[in-house]
Structures are given as C-alpha cells and as structure tokens.
Amino acid sequence: MRISLYGAAGEVTGSTYLVETDRSRVLVDFGLHQGDRDSDDRNRRMPPIDAAKLDAVVVTHGHIDHIGRLPLLNDAGFKGSIFATPATCKLMPIMLEDSANLQENDARRDSVRNARQGKPPVQPLYSPEDVKPIIARLQTIELNKPREVAKGITVRFTESGHILGSASIEMMLQDSTGEERVVVFSGDLGPKNQALIRDFDPPTSEVSPDLIVCETTYGDRDHRDINQTVEEFAGILREALWDKEKVLIPAFAIGRTQSLLYYIGELSRTGRVPAFPTYVDSPMGVKATKLYQEFWRTLDAEAQKLHRECGEALCLDRLNFLETGDQSRQLNEQHGAMVIIAGSGMCNGGRIVHHLRHNLYKRGVRVLIAGYQAQGTLGRRLVDGADRVRIFGEEIVVRAKVHTLGGFSAHAGQTDLLTWMQAFKPKAGKPWPKVMLTHGEDGPRRAFATKLEQMGARPFLPAWGARVEL
Ligand SMILES: [Zn+2]
Ligand SMILES: [Zn+2]
C-alpha cells in the first residue's frame, strides 16, 4: 500500500494525494496551484495519475487549492464517484463554476495579448462545461459515518474546524491479502474558537494510524489573539459609523465573509457598535453565506443558539445581499454609515475594485484589510501604504484610511496544530506512526517538525512526487 504526493509539498496550494492498494486507487483532493508565476504551467501538467483507473476521489473541503483541478479528471477518463461532506458537496459547484469562469477570462485576456504579438490563442485550463460532469459525480458522506469508497478503502470524515463542511479523513486500507493500514489526513485545520465553525475533532480510534499527514500552513507561529482583533475591529467600525462613512472590506467569499458577518452581528447585539446596514456585495459571497445559514446544524453551539433565537445563524439586522451589478453600482450613490464586504479578498478582481475606485480618494472612507494580501496585488499595495494606486488604468489617490487587522484566520496556529497532533501521541513505550508534513512552506513546516521532534515523533518533509510505502 502506498501514498504518493502531487502537490502542497513545501507550499500551501495544489493539495493532491494518491492512495493505492493492490485492488483500489483513490485520490484525496486535487487542488489548484495558486499564486506563483509558474502556477498555471503546473496546473496544466497532469501528475502521473491514470484517471481512468481511479476508483474514487475523496475531498477534504471546498477551497479551490483542494478541488480546483478536479474538472481536469473528466477529459482524462475518470469514471468514479467524488465523496465529500454534504456542505462541501454544495460548496463545490459554487467554487468550481467561479474557477472555470476565471480560467476563461484569463485565457481570453491572454489570447488578446498573444494576438497582438502574433502568437496563438490560449486555451482555458477548463470551462464551465467541464465542471458539470464533475458535480454529477458528487456523493455525500456525513461526519463520523464510515463508508467504503472503493474496494477495501473505507473513509471516515471528522470535523477539521476550518470552513463550512471541512473535514479530516481517517482512511482504512485493506489489500487483497487482508493486510490493514490506517492513514489520517488532517485536511486544513482551523483555529480553536473560530466564529461559527466547530473546533476540530481529530480522527482517533482504537486503531492507531500507520501514517499521519498534517498541514503546516502556520506551523511556525500563533495568530494574534482573536478577542483583541475583534476589539480593534469594533473600534474601527465605531469611528467610521460615528463619522457616517463607508467601511470597505475586501474578503474571500467563503469563510472570511461569514466570520466578519458573525462578529458584526455580535458587536451590534451587545451594543458595542451602533446599528448600521451591512452589504455582502459578491454573488459568490451571497451564495456561500446562504449555505452557512442552510447548514446551521453543522455550525458551533453559539451559531445554533442564534439560529434558534433569531431564525438564522448570523442573526444580523440590516444585512443586505447584493447579487446584481446594478445593485452594486447603486451603492456608489448611497451615502452614510455602512459596511460593504466584497470580493476578491486581495482586491485583484471582483466588485471590491470598483468600490475602491469610487472611494479611495475620499478622506473619511475606511478600508479594512482582514486577510492575507499576496505580493503584487492591489490589496498589498494598500497595506504597504501606497499614496496612489492604478485601477483600470487610472491613477487614484489614496486618502481613505487603510486599517490592517491581522488576527482573523481560518487556519490553526502552531499551538492548535500541536494539540491536533497530540491526539495521536502513542502510549508510553510505543513508537510514533509515520508523520508527513505538507501544506506549508518550508520555513513553517521545518519549525513544526522541530516541535514534533520534541514530542518524540520523526516527521518527514516530502517533496513533490514523494511516495510512502506502508
Ligand atoms: Zn482550506
Ligand atoms: Zn488549503
């Protein structure tokens, strides 16, 4: 039995694991590489996986760096089922359709550029047509309900505390001779006490695993205290609302948007900020937020209580969903205190760019950056304090106040990652199972490896293409 790694090796994106026994082949996640110059090339190079011989795919959660290459399986001859939790099965179409549209837009833009240089057009990585057959293959597995996904491969999902529907996986393997092995995949782990989302629940059972695959995004540090962050958030809101000004918040559609809505609700319910209208100005953000509301039973105890008292888990008065471009444009004409949450999270596309163009030059407006901003994005230039930025070819002077809030995260910090690993600590005298560290850059994963070594484990840091025989 063997596990091979084809992504998220010394990096955060592109998660892909191939699990093989002598009778079955299952893929765990098939994510897009993102954020690097050569990401597109890497996404186009199919790893050595014979899709026609794959029996199934198991998905940890709906983020595009875990599911974004699934549409490629179609043309490659995949005929099996794709298993995920019920909420993830609902999130995946939203995410993949958006990804397909982005791929097409990028290809169109690059083709125009190529045409000017006398070069051939660029084909999109995939199109919305490639997404449909993938969606048709989805099958749900509830948390904590083991299910055989291929001959001799049984999967149990447990809460990973990251985003709606996210799961860790306990995978029981049995080959044709009856030999058994257990592999645990952390998936992406969330921080404890995250808004709306339950804390992770490591998949421990009587059988100790032979291999643990653990993410290490923040293996080298802890996040800033969430309560301090929320307090700071409240202060910024209070000031802006007192001044009757707009607060623009670029946010990822899934996860960050909903946790911000939760905190806004909490702050206004407890009277820490006055009432004001909040707009979710992103078609994807609106769909995702409605899914959080639909799947309120999978959320944490606090959200369930709110749902019972309020009729919905976010319990936010004056929450408005904007779906059409016209509704979005109308906000330009509206004045007074309001919060606008729009995508994209790094201001490199989406409706937030229009809002920034219309508002950055205004002195009273606040821009609140509550997520990671990659090099080269408009969001990063704002964080770095640019006094002028280019938007749609136009130079805009930045007079708005830009605030950066560092403490919101959907990822476990080092302490929480160690707590998750601690659940697998063997009884005295017993050796640690194999531990493979992935989904983190080399700095964080080395730092985390050092911590695990202090606990007695001997983790290894695989490169792309690495294989583990069990
Ligand atoms: Zn994730
Ligand atoms: Zn991830």
Side-chain angles (χ1 to χ4, degrees):
M1 291 174 259
R2 169 203 291 162
I3 317 290
S4 313
L5 178 74
Y6 297 115
E11 58 183 339
V12 171
T13 67
S15 281
T16 305
Y17 306 91
L18 178 64
V19 181
E20 295 169 282
T21 71
D22 63 356
R23 45 182 187 159
S24 298
R25 270 162 230 86
V26 170
L27 203 58
V28 175
D29 289 347
F30 195 23
L32 212 61
H33 292 287
Q34 293 174 297
D36 276 330
R37 218 176 265 277
D38 62 346
S39 293
D40 190 49
D41 289 340
R42 295 174 69 200
N43 288 329
R44 285 171 193 273
R45 247 177 279 136
M46 189 73 177
I49 297 168
D50 187 346
K53 288 190 180 151
L54 270 184
D55 298 289
V57 179
V58 182
V59 170
T60 59
H61 67 290
H63 273 149
I64 218 68
D65 63 311
H66 294 256
I67 62 168
R69 280 190 288 172
L70 287 173
L72 301 177
L73 290 180
N74 216 25
D75 279 350
F78 176 59
K79 295 278 183 289
S81 294
I82 302 173
F83 296 91
T85 63
T88 299
C89 284
K90 289 269 186 114
L91 272 175
M92 282 174 67
I94 301 172
M95 297 299 281
L96 288 176
E97 276 155 27
D98 180 69
S99 174
N101 288 328
L102 287 176
Q103 307 288 350
E104 284 201 325
N105 291 343
D106 286 356
R108 215 171 292 138
R109 187 198 57 215
D110 292 348
S111 295
V112 170
R113 187 200 56 209
N114 278 9
R116 282 197 293 262
Q117 299 169 358
K119 291 182 187 163
V122 176
Q123 291 302 315
L125 185 62
Y126 51 83
S127 69
E129 285 308 304
D130 299 310
V131 170
K132 284 182 196 149
I134 290 302
I135 299 309
R137 296 185 180 283
L138 288 175
Q139 290 202 39
T140 61
I141 304 181
E142 303 269 354
L143 289 187
N144 296 308
K145 301 244 169 82
R147 169 145 171 205
E148 191 174 59
V149 297
K151 261 195 212 103
I153 300 188
T154 299
V155 156
R156 184 168 69 96
F157 286 132
T158 66
E159 177 65 62
S160 81
H162 174 54
I163 59 164
L164 183 73
S166 66
S168 301
I169 298 174
E170 182 184 49
M171 194 177 259
M172 281 72 75
L173 312 175
Q174 191 187 53
D175 70 10
S176 59
T177 68
E179 272 291 311
E180 290 183 340
R181 298 285 184 272
V182 176
V183 183
V184 165
F185 296 90
S186 68
D188 285 6
L189 296 170
K192 287 188 173 242
N193 303 316
Q194 193 187 179
L196 300 169
I197 303 295
R198 291 183 195 178
D199 286 356
F200 56 63
D201 174 21
T204 49
S205 49
E206 297 89 82
V207 198
S208 61
D210 299 280
L211 170 68
I212 302 168
V213 182
C214 186
E215 70 117 323
T216 54
T217 318
Y218 290 98
D220 58 342
R221 67 197 125 129
D222 280 328
H223 302 297
R224 214 170 145 238
D225 179 60
I226 185 68
N227 296 319
Q228 270 178 32
T229 303
V230 173
E231 212 33 70
E232 210 179 311
F233 183 38
I236 296 163
L237 289 179
R238 263 195 305 268
E239 239 186 68
L241 303 174
W242 180 257
D243 294 347
K244 298 197 167 39
E245 293 288 355
K246 284 180 181 164
V247 181
L248 306 179
I249 312 182
F252 295 106
I254 294 173
R256 187 57 38 83
T257 292
Q258 294 76 31
S259 55
L260 289 169
L261 291 174
Y262 168 82
Y263 286 120
I264 291 172
E266 188 191 53
L267 291 171
S268 57
R269 276 194 307 280
T270 53
R272 285 191 278 167
V273 296
F276 56 89
T278 302
Y279 296 90
V280 177
D281 186 16
S282 141
M284 196 162 55
V286 171
K287 282 185 205 157
T289 305
K290 288 182 175 169
L291 277 186
Y292 271 70
Q293 291 169 325
E294 179 185 337
F295 283 91
W296 64 274
R297 280 190 180 82
T298 70
L299 301 178
D300 65 10
E302 169 72 13
Q304 298 201 22
K305 186 167 155 262
L306 286 177
H307 177 91
R308 292 206 179 86
E309 287 168 0
C310 223
E312 61 103 0
L314 290 165
C315 194
L316 180 55
D317 285 343
R318 306 180 71 184
L319 170 61
N320 304 278
F321 291 130
L322 305 184
E323 301 197 43
T324 69
D326 276 343
Q327 291 172 321
S328 175
R329 276 184 288 278
Q330 276 163 20
L331 282 185
N332 296 331
E333 314 303 323
Q334 287 178 34
H335 301 282
M338 68 179 80
V339 171
I340 302 172
I341 302 176
S344 73
M346 297 195 283
C347 312
N348 48 348
R351 293 185 185 168
I352 192 70
V353 184
H354 295 270
H355 290 299
L356 291 170
R357 181 163 88 128
H358 283 277
N359 289 288
L360 275 179
Y361 72 92
K362 297 176 186 162
R363 217 170 278 284
V365 166
R366 269 63 164 191
V367 179
L368 208 156
I369 307 274
Y372 175 73
Q373 308 296 316
Q375 281 294 352
T377 58
L378 174 56
R380 181 58 165 263
R381 286 198 291 284
L382 291 173
V383 168
D384 289 345
D387 49 16
R388 277 158 199 281
V389 291
R390 280 198 93 74
I391 298 181
F392 303 132
E394 190 183 345
E395 195 171 83
I396 312 273
V397 55
V398 182
R399 292 203 191 96
K401 241 190 220 171
V402 179
H403 301 273
T404 309
L405 275 182
F408 294 116
S409 180
H411 277 281
Q414 187 188 62
T415 304
D416 288 339
L417 287 175
L418 285 169
T419 305
W420 190 86
M421 281 298 302
Q422 195 80 36
F424 301 97
K425 193 176 179 179
K427 293 197 182 76
K430 290 264 171 63
W432 268 87
K434 290 186 166 121
V435 177
M436 173 158 125
L437 300 183
T438 61
H439 199 292
E441 287 171 4
D442 273 334
R445 72 172 176 164
R446 264 195 222 111
F448 193 59
T450 307
K451 287 282 174 185
L452 291 178
E453 279 159 9
Q454 289 161 5
M455 282 162 60
R458 291 279 164 271
F460 62 100
L461 284 55
W464 190 96
R467 283 180 169 184
V468 185
E469 301 285 343
L470 294 172

